[in-house]
Amino acid sequence: MRYQLSDHFTLGRLLRFTMPSIFMMVFTSLYSVVDGFFVSNFAGKTPFTAVNFIMPFLMVLGSAGFMFGTGGSALIARTLGEGDAPRARQQFSLVVYAALLTGVVLAVLGQLALRPFAAFLGAEGQLLKDSVTYGRVILAALPAFILQFAFQCLFATAGKPTLGLTITVAAGVTNMVLDALLVAVVPGGLVGAAIATALSQCVGGLLPLLYFARPNSSLLRLGRTRFSHRVLLQTCLNGSSELMSNISASLVGMLYNAQLLRYAGEDGVAAYGVLMYVSMIFQAVFIGYSVGSSPIVSYHYGAAHPAALRGLLRRGAGIIGGFSLMMLGLALTLAGPLSRLFVGYDEALTQLTIRAFSIFAWSFLFSGFAIFGSSFFTALNDGPVSAAIAFLRTLVFQLAAVLLLPLVWGVDGIWLSTVAAEVLAVAVTLVLLAVKQRKYGY
C-alpha cells in the first residue's frame, strides 16, 4: 500500500510507514557490528580495539550526511506541504549536491588529520598503526558514506521509504559477504574489513544518486538548481541537532575511551566497543522511527494542520515507549550471549562486558524519548530547540557524568554515565515540549 505525506496517520499507518526507515537504520548500524565481529574473532583484540578507537573520528566526519538529510528533509517536506513541488525539487537537488561536495572536502581533510589526531588521543605503537590503516580506507569512501546518510532521510520525504530500505539492505549484504570473504576466508584482516565497509558505503550512497538522477516515480528528482544560501542555511540549522548529536557522541566516545584506558586499560575500550555496537542497533530503532515520521510532521506543519501534529506527537510518544521497554528487555536478556559472541575468547573481558551491559542497558529506557523530541522539533523547522536538546543530551550531560561518576563508582560510574545523561535529557525534552506547545498548537 502506498502512503502520501498528506494522509491521516493512525497508529498502524504510522508504524507501517516508518518501519522501512527503522529497518534501514538498523541495517546501517550492522555494518560496524559485522566489522567488529570479524575483526575481533579473526584479527584479534588489538585490531578490534583500533576499530573502536578510530570510529568516533570517522563518525564525526560522516555525520554531515545526517545534517543534510534531516535538515533538508524538514525543509523539503514543509515546501511540499505548502504546495510548491517544483521549488521542493530544486531544494532537494541543492542539498544533495552540497552533501556530495562536503564529502569530498572532508575526505581530504580527514586523511591529513587522521594520524596526528589518533596520536593526540593516546594511540601508540600497533594500536596507532591499526587505527590509521582502518581509517584511511574508510575515508576514501567518505563522500559516498555522507550521501548514504543523507539519502536515508530523503527517501522517506520522496515517498519511497521501502526503496530506501531495499538499497540499504543491498549495502548491508555487500558488507557482510565481503567481510566474510576478505577477513575470514582470504584473510585480509583489518584492511579487508575496511574495504568491505567502504564498498558497502558506495552501494548505499551511489545507487540512490543514480536513481534520483533519472526519471522516477518519487516526489523528487535531481536536476538543475541554483545556489541559495538561505536554503543551505535553513538546512544546516534544521539539521544542526543531528549534526550535534553525532559529533557530540563521537567526542564523548573519545573521552569514554580515554577514561576507560585510565580505569580499565585496553579491555575497557574493547568492552565499550561491544556496548556501542549494541547501542547503535538499538538506538537505530528510535532514530529510524524519528527519521521516518519527520517528513509527515514537516508536511502537516507546512500545511498548517495543528491537530495532525498533536496526533503525531502523542502516537509517536506511545510507539517510542513501547520500543523502549522492548530494548531494555532485550539488552538485559542478551547481555551474556552478545558479550560471548564478540569477546568470548577472553574470560576476564567477557565478564567485564557483561557487567557493563547490566548497567548500560537502562539507558535504552530513556534515550528514545529525547531522540524523538529533538527530531520532532527538527521537523517543525525549529533547529535551535532541537539542537539544544541534542547538545545537552549528547555532550553536556554526558561529559559531566563521565568525568564525575567514575570518581565515586570507578569503572561502573563510566557505564552509569549514559543512563544519567539520558534521564536528564528526557526531563529537558518534556520542559521544552510544554514551553513550545502554544506556538505550534500540538
Side-chain angles (χ1 to χ4, degrees), residues 126-170:
Q126 190 61 41
L127 178 61
L128 175 61
K129 181 180 178 180
D130 286 347
S131 297
V132 172
T133 297
Y134 185 83
R136 291 210 185 283
V137 178
I138 299 298
L139 285 170
L142 186 66
F145 188 36
I146 287 177
L147 283 177
Q148 181 180 19
F149 276 153
F151 280 124
Q152 284 173 343
C153 305
L154 292 168
F155 265 119
T157 308
K160 292 287 185 178
T162 303
L163 178 60
L165 172 61
T166 301
I167 291 176
T168 300
V169 169

Side-chain angles (χ1 to χ4, degrees), residues 238-322:
N238 288 345
S240 60
S241 62
E242 282 69 22
L243 178 67
M244 176 59 67
S245 293
N246 285 276
I247 291 179
S248 297
S250 297
L251 292 175
V252 169
M254 297 173 196
L255 179 58
Y256 268 77
N257 285 334
Q259 286 283 77
L260 284 164
L261 280 174
R262 177 184 175 188
Y263 282 90
E266 286 194 12
D267 278 6
V269 177
Y272 181 63
V274 178
L275 294 187
M276 288 302 98
Y277 289 144
V278 176
S279 180
M280 278 192 296
I281 295 175
F282 283 15
Q283 294 206 22
V285 175
F286 303 133
I287 296 170
Y289 175 80
S290 300
V291 165
S293 62
S294 285
I296 308 170
V297 174
S298 298
Y299 182 94
H300 286 289
Y301 174 58
H305 296 154
L309 294 179
R310 192 178 309 117
L312 289 168
L313 177 60
R314 291 176 179 175
R315 294 184 192 101
I319 290 171
I320 292 295

